[in-house]
Amino acid sequence: MKGVIFNLLEDFVTTTWGEVAYEEILAMCPVHTRGPHVGPSTYPDADLMAIVGAACARLGVTTDQALHAFGAFATAPLIARLPRELIPFDHPRDLLKAVDDVIHLEVRKLFRDAEPPRITHHDDGDPDRLTLYY
């Protein structure tokens, strides 16, 4: 997992619950990497999930609640980091449908060691719904 995701998770927790909560969460984690996460570096996926698990335990939320809230928080900052020509989408659903084939393709070009998740989708035609599979 790229360090930028760890950075955004830290921003999410510190913005929502404060720096002390984030430090307590890190102290609870059996992570492989110690020290600050650097945006373009790659870290074990298990480290991110350890932080999420500790955050859930510390904050009293479910993993689904935590990941949903983090996804909502992280979407705009991630999109802001992309070159404008990569996101010519008029609607969020079009962007979500292109994550794997467009955005993750570019991530793999920029970062040879990147292993973005495979994301597929099912569009049943309802303009208010798009099912993503991770």
Side-chain angles (χ1 to χ4, degrees), residues 1 9-10 13 22 27 32 39 42-43 48 59 63-64 68 70 72 74 77 95 101-102 104 106 111 117 119 122:
M1 184 76 57
L9 181 59
E10 179 180 356
V13 172
Y22 186 71
H32 296 91
T42 302
Y43 302 93
L48 184 75
L59 303 171
T63 302
D64 285 348
H68 183 269
F70 175 56
L95 170 68
D101 295 333
V102 176
H104 284 170
E106 292 301 320
F111 304 104
I119 298 174
H122 172 72

Side-chain angles (χ1 to χ4, degrees), residues 11-49:
D11 291 348
F12 173 61
V13 172
T14 58
T15 298
T16 309
W17 291 280
E19 290 182 24
V20 170
Y22 186 71
E23 293 302 323
E24 290 172 353
I25 289 165
L26 285 183
M28 296 168 63
C29 292
V31 295
H32 296 91
T33 306
R34 293 291 174 196
H37 294 94
V38 179
S41 295
T42 302
Y43 302 93
D45 291 358
D47 284 2
L48 184 75
M49 293 314 296

Side-chain angles (χ1 to χ4, degrees), residues 64-109:
D64 285 348
Q65 291 169 323
L67 292 176
H68 183 269
F70 175 56
F73 178 89
T75 300
L78 282 171
I79 291 171
R81 291 182 160 120
L82 293 171
R84 289 289 133 216
E85 61 273 8
L86 288 183
I87 51 171
F89 307 104
D90 295 327
H91 193 276
R93 98 188 260 103
D94 297 327
L95 170 68
L96 291 171
K97 289 165 74 172
V99 166
D100 206 53
D101 295 333
V102 176
I103 296 169
H104 284 170
L105 178 69
E106 292 301 320
V107 167
R108 284 185 204 92
K109 287 180 187 175

